[in-house]
Amino acid sequence: MEAIENSVAQRADLLELDCQLTRDGVVVVSHDENLSRQSGVNRDVDSLEFEELPLYKEELEIYFSPGHFAHGSDRHMISLEDLFRRFPRTPMSVEVKGENDTLIHKVASLVRHFGRSEITIWASENSSVMRKCKAANPEMPFCFTISRAVWLLLLYYLGLLPFVPIPERFFLCFLPTIINRTYFPFSRPVLNQLAAVISKWIIMRKSLIQHLEQRGVQVVFWCLNEESDFEVAYNLGATGVMTDYPTALRRYLDNRRAAAQAS
């Protein structure tokens, strides 16, 4: 909760969450299904009840900043319900990673209970999961899945995108320049180098981003932790960026705004 409170204090426009389900049916905010990396306990979230969940490590390596570590006094895992209650009007993106129907329906129910369907976003890489999410609460806006993003890019390069409806309201995408630097999707360095070159050529198109935003799609790049990456994303025309360092991003945005006003 301490990290969330700091993000809100830095005037974050959106909180990005990954959710898992405990054995007793509590939706918790956790990036990983297995707790080894986060807590040092080799157990899956769904094998434990909420009250049994271990504390986060005292020193936790930041996933997108290898060699850098986060520290905090509040090491408890939090439930999605507590988060909705604490920040009732803060927009949030909720990512569902697996095909867990119970998890999907519990998230949908919580969103309805707190009356925040219009400010809570469905996110998933998997199209079949996204279909279930949309069926569980069709009032919530939703993001592109991987297959839908590939389709989007194909339509863009064929020149057909202006003629095709876009139901998604958010395009959440990695910034290609972080591949092989802070983001390593493949185990072999040569594949990461190749992925960085190809994805940079395909995705980093200012005209694509402008087209999406003109059609009401917000483009958000993740997960950027260095000022040079903030600069690349905003110069491309991104709506926003996701970061593990909200204080650094707030400082960059304030300085960028001050420079624009001075000029």
Side-chain angles (χ1 to χ4, degrees):
M1 186 68 79
E2 186 178 5
I4 301 292
E5 289 174 342
N6 177 58
S7 296
V8 174
Q10 299 303 323
R11 308 195 302 280
D13 299 298
L14 176 71
L15 300 177
E16 191 273 335
L17 315 171
D18 300 279
C19 288
Q20 311 285 344
L21 193 67
T22 63
R23 188 174 62 199
D24 54 340
V26 178
V27 181
V28 295
V29 178
S30 175
H31 180 276
D32 299 352
E33 179 181 3
N34 185 276
L35 296 167
S36 295
R37 183 185 68 87
Q38 297 174 178
S39 68
V41 176
N42 187 23
R43 295 285 297 274
D44 289 347
V45 173
D46 63 6
S47 72
L48 298 169
E49 297 195 357
F50 181 69
E51 295 300 329
E52 297 174 331
L53 292 173
L55 298 175
Y56 282 104
K57 292 177 180 178
E58 291 185 12
E59 186 177 73
L60 183 62
E61 187 172 27
I62 299 172
Y63 191 84
F64 288 100
S65 290
H68 295 79
F69 296 85
H71 307 82
S73 57
D74 184 359
R75 295 162 50 209
H76 292 87
M77 294 185 66
I78 57 176
S79 71
L80 186 63
E81 181 175 356
D82 286 342
L83 199 58
F84 282 173
R85 185 175 289 111
R86 177 70 177 81
F87 304 104
R89 302 313 300 165
T90 300
M92 301 183 195
S93 166
V94 178
E95 181 170 358
V96 178
K97 293 184 178 294
E99 294 207 36
N100 187 324
D101 291 357
T102 303
L103 173 60
I104 291 170
H105 284 281
K106 281 185 175 288
V107 170
S109 178
L110 283 169
V111 170
R112 286 197 180 96
H113 176 75
F114 285 92
R116 49 177 298 125
S117 291
E118 76 283 2
I119 59 169
T120 309
I121 305 158
W122 283 123
S124 178
E125 295 180 346
N126 188 296
S127 290
S128 63
V129 172
M130 183 59 78
R131 282 192 292 271
K132 293 181 178 181
C133 291
K134 290 189 293 181
N137 189 336
E139 298 175 1
M140 292 169 57
F142 56 95
C143 304
F144 280 89
T145 61
I146 290 178
S147 62
R148 284 283 297 167
V150 171
W151 180 241
L152 169 82
L153 292 169
L154 179 61
L155 291 172
Y156 169 73
Y157 282 102
L158 290 175
L160 299 175
L161 188 56
F163 310 104
V164 177
I166 302 178
E168 292 88 351
R169 296 274 64 89
F170 291 86
F171 183 59
L172 310 182
C173 181
F174 65 88
L175 187 70
T177 55
I178 71 172
I179 293 181
N180 211 38
R181 189 160 49 82
T182 62
Y183 175 45
F184 304 90
F186 303 105
S187 58
R188 297 178 61 182
V190 66
L191 292 179
N192 285 315
Q193 293 172 3
L194 184 62
V197 172
I198 294 175
S199 61
K200 181 178 180 180
W201 184 84
I202 293 175
I203 297 173
M204 295 179 67
R205 300 288 176 171
K206 201 166 188 176
S207 59
L208 170 62
I209 295 171
Q210 289 174 341
H211 178 83
L212 290 174
E213 294 197 334
Q214 287 169 0
R215 297 183 62 180
V217 179
Q218 298 188 45
V219 179
V220 181
F221 286 111
W222 55 262
C223 179
L224 314 185
N225 291 333
E226 298 179 14
E227 187 169 307
S228 59
D229 293 322
F230 300 160
E231 188 78 5
V232 170
Y234 283 109
N235 284 343
L236 278 171
T239 313
V241 304
M242 293 182 186
T243 182
D244 294 312
Y245 296 97
T247 303
L249 178 58
R250 171 49 54 197
R251 182 170 56 248
Y252 166 81
L253 291 173
D254 288 346
N255 291 339
R256 182 182 177 91
R257 184 176 296 109
Q261 291 173 346
S263 60

